[in-house]
Amino acid sequence: MFVQVIRGRVADPDAAREAFERWVRELSPGADGWLGSTGGVTADGRLVVLARFASAEAAQANSRRPEQDRWWQETAPLVADPTFHDSADVRGYLATGSDKAGFVQVITGQTTDPDRMMDSVVRLSASLHAFRPDLIGGTVALHHDGTFTEAVYFTSVEQARAGEQRQLPPELQGALDRAEELTSMLSYHDLTDPWLLSPPR
């Protein structure tokens, strides 16, 4: 899998959402290899979108389409200071993600040991799910500059907040703490009204 992460700031979340939903309606039928996208806008206006493709080649082919360029030229005025981060090193855990998620938290940060971090995340997820049934799954994209983007899918924001208050067994909490030691510069983007976009059926 290949993931392109788009980040920026928007003043009109509804207009931004309509632009991405219009892409699904009008452009996605010609975007071979597009698997779906997860996105949204935080309460303070931060946009984050993870577009998933079957391969880097599929993503590049989509970017070269004239209609893709026209769509972005029309959408770009809605997004201040946009940035793009690509990743061909993408891994999922549990159910990976779900269009039934009611809440998505996107975590960005840095890691000095991507392989150990990913191994810890995947191994911990199975044990964590037993205590956090609100956790559906997640997708982690590792970027070439040592940063990462992780989308974590939950059943609802209410259940996720309640789950955060549950005390984990000491051994599980210790493993989670050790995994977090592999990361730094963490930033959290809460998408309480996530855009869960999939290819038309």
Side-chain angles (χ1 to χ4, degrees):
M1 188 189 301
F2 179 87
V3 166
Q4 182 175 73
V5 181
I6 306 170
R7 295 172 59 190
R9 287 193 171 272
V10 299
D12 190 339
D14 290 337
R17 180 170 192 158
E18 169 54 28
F20 281 88
E21 290 180 343
R22 181 170 63 84
W23 185 92
V24 175
R25 293 193 306 270
E26 299 178 3
L27 277 74
S28 72
D32 294 338
W34 176 66
L35 304 177
S37 297
T38 296
V41 179
T42 64
D44 60 353
R46 290 176 293 166
L47 168 78
V48 56
V49 178
L50 287 80
R52 304 182 301 276
F53 289 86
S55 66
E57 292 75 18
Q60 292 163 1
N62 175 67
S63 297
R64 290 194 294 266
R65 294 192 298 159
E67 57 268 41
Q68 174 70 21
D69 182 65
R70 287 193 298 270
W71 172 83
W72 178 246
Q73 293 303 319
E74 295 167 358
T75 303
L78 300 173
V79 184
D81 303 318
T83 62
F84 301 85
H85 290 84
D86 294 341
S87 174
D89 190 351
V90 182
R91 310 180 203 183
Y93 53 88
L94 296 178
T96 302
S98 172
D99 284 354
K100 296 181 180 179
F103 171 54
V104 176
Q105 185 174 72
V106 178
I107 306 168
T108 61
Q110 295 181 335
T111 178
T112 56
D113 196 331
D115 289 331
R116 279 186 63 203
M117 185 198 81
M118 288 302 308
D119 182 62
S120 296
V121 167
V122 173
R123 285 189 296 104
L124 276 171
S125 61
S127 299
L128 189 59
H129 183 63
F131 296 90
R132 293 287 305 274
D134 56 294
L135 173 62
I136 297 174
T139 301
V140 185
L142 295 166
H143 308 300
H144 66 84
D145 59 357
T147 63
F148 68 89
T149 304
E150 178 179 8
V152 189
Y153 298 76
F154 298 92
T155 52
S156 70
V157 64
E158 295 81 10
Q159 292 173 335
R161 297 306 184 215
E164 290 172 354
Q165 304 305 313
R166 296 192 63 188
Q167 185 171 358
L168 298 176
E171 64 276 10
L172 183 55
Q173 184 63 59
L176 188 62
D177 291 342
R178 288 191 294 273
E180 290 179 348
E181 290 174 358
L182 300 171
T183 63
S184 62
M185 304 293 290
L186 297 180
S187 178
Y188 297 85
H189 305 70
D190 289 349
L191 307 180
T192 57
D193 184 20
W195 313 341
L196 303 170
L197 309 175
S198 298
R201 298 186 182 278

